[in-house]
Amino acid sequence: MYRFLASTAPSFGSVATPVYVILAQTINADKGFDAYRVEFNKHFQAMLKAWENYLSSEASCEVLNDSTGGWFSQEALAAYVEHFNGKSFFDVSVSENNPENYYGFKSYDDFFSRRLRPSVRILEFPDDSMIINAPCEWVLYNIGWNITAKSKLLLKGQSYTFEQLLNGQFVDIFVGGTAYQGFLPPTSYHGWHSPVTGTIRKVQTVAGSYFSQSADDVISPSDISNPYMGHFPFVPTRQLIFINSDNPAIGLICYIAIGMGEAESCTLDSKVREGAHTGKGEDIGMFHFGGSSHIVVFGPNVKI
């Protein structure tokens, strides 16, 4: 079955993380909680790299069509622009209205990581340094206030802490602050943008595991309805970007990009490096291949 998946791109309306669904019953079993954190991780990394290669190839364009399940079906096109006030997909996204050329995309991932046209994602109050802009097109999952180093942030009884989420970086600065977690559906734009104008203080990649589940998230061994949404910020590879706002009233914030399940590719923009200055709304990175999540952390001086 995996050989089939490794040469198949997701269709519109399908599960965004198909390998997770195949493995769900073993992941959700007692032995699976530990096995998927250590034993199988290095093997999955090689297997999923083969799938990523396929999703970056022209062959994966097979799903970029207007038939049922195609990413340019009428249902799909409506989903992309649900919140864009009457604009079409082609008004919003850098693309071509030409099915013979796969609508201007070179692969499934080229389509998934598509860019918005410059006039689309316009900043609200760009010159007001007290306004913090959303870094992604996201749906709110959870929010935590007055966090401590040992807070079980965004979890359901697990032992992971806020300190672990930040990988031990600048924890004291954020104690007493706020953090929110949002997720990006497969139909969303998957770019990340700086929420503030400021200087990048630190950039860190934290290595993780594929498919690790938590016993506290499982209703039954076959439960696949909530793929460890509360647990996974601490487990997959994640990208931390600490930005020191030019506005001292905001101070240091942290943007955390997180891949979901087999879709763990978080790519930084080439301009993102320690010491670089970034403007509010500027590109800082992109998710690839599948559904994703992010967390933004603020200090106690910022009231959200």
Side-chain angles (χ1 to χ4, degrees):
M1 186 174 288
Y2 178 77
R3 288 189 178 185
F4 170 76
L5 283 175
S7 59
T8 305
S11 58
F12 173 75
S14 66
V15 177
T17 53
V19 180
Y20 169 80
V21 174
I22 293 171
L23 300 174
Q25 294 197 35
T26 59
I27 292 171
N28 292 347
D30 289 342
K31 298 295 184 182
F33 300 139
D34 292 324
Y36 283 91
R37 297 180 195 180
V38 180
E39 298 296 330
F40 299 157
N41 195 56
K42 61 183 179 181
H43 302 292
F44 277 121
Q45 188 173 30
M47 292 169 65
L48 294 173
K49 183 62 179 177
W51 192 42
E52 290 179 5
N53 289 340
Y54 175 77
L55 296 179
S56 301
S57 71
E58 185 177 355
S60 66
C61 288
E62 62 181 351
V63 294
L64 304 184
N65 59 65
D66 59 5
S67 62
T68 301
W71 288 96
F72 286 87
S73 63
Q74 290 303 307
E75 185 181 3
L77 290 173
Y80 305 137
V81 294
E82 182 180 358
H83 304 293
F84 282 98
N85 298 324
K87 293 182 181 291
S88 73
F89 173 86
F90 304 102
D91 295 330
V92 169
S93 302
V94 177
S95 56
E96 301 173 12
N97 194 354
N98 180 7
E100 294 183 3
N101 192 36
Y102 299 115
Y103 302 92
F105 299 105
K106 298 177 181 178
S107 66
Y108 169 82
D109 184 59
D110 189 34
F111 159 74
F112 182 86
S113 57
R114 60 193 176 275
R115 295 289 180 180
L116 297 179
R117 296 195 184 278
S119 61
V120 172
R121 200 176 193 274
I122 299 174
L123 290 178
E124 299 267 346
F125 309 105
D127 299 322
D128 188 342
S129 64
M130 291 301 295
I131 299 293
I132 299 170
N133 289 81
C136 299
E137 307 302 307
W138 56 283
V139 177
L140 180 66
Y141 172 69
N142 208 341
I143 187 166
W145 292 277
N146 196 29
I147 50 184
T148 70
K150 302 302 180 184
S151 290
K152 293 178 180 178
L153 182 67
L154 309 177
L155 294 180
K156 301 176 182 177
Q158 291 113 313
S159 60
Y160 298 94
T161 66
F162 174 69
E163 185 175 29
Q164 289 171 306
L165 176 69
L166 292 175
N167 203 37
Q169 304 295 310
F170 306 111
V171 175
D172 291 345
I173 293 177
F174 293 110
V175 166
T178 302
Y180 76 77
Q181 180 183 357
F183 70 92
L184 288 73
T187 53
S188 292
Y189 164 66
H190 277 71
W192 330 329
H193 297 261
S194 180
V196 297
T197 295
T199 301
I200 298 171
R201 185 165 175 179
K202 191 174 185 66
V203 179
Q204 187 173 60
T205 301
V206 182
S209 302
Y210 296 94
F211 306 115
S212 177
Q213 176 66 292
S214 164
D216 296 313
D217 277 340
V218 179
I219 298 172
S220 70
S222 59
D223 173 35
I224 60 171
S225 59
N226 178 16
Y228 47 90
M229 182 64 74
H231 169 72
F232 83 88
F234 301 85
V235 178
T237 298
R238 58 193 185 274
Q239 190 72 61
L240 280 64
I241 306 174
F242 296 88
I243 305 173
N244 199 22
S245 172
D246 286 352
N247 183 347
I250 295 175
L252 188 69
I253 71 164
C254 182
Y255 173 76
I256 307 173
I258 312 161
M260 291 175 65
E262 56 260 44
E264 288 201 8
S265 182
C266 304
T267 304
L268 290 171
D269 188 90
S270 60
K271 302 187 298 295
V272 175
R273 61 187 183 280
E274 293 177 18
H277 195 265
T278 183
K280 183 163 58 173
E282 288 187 6
D283 291 344
I284 56 174
M286 176 72 75
F287 291 115
H288 291 264
F289 306 119
S292 316
S293 179
H294 75 280
I295 295 175
V296 184
V297 187
F298 305 94
N301 51 316
V302 178
K303 305 303 179 184
I304 301 298

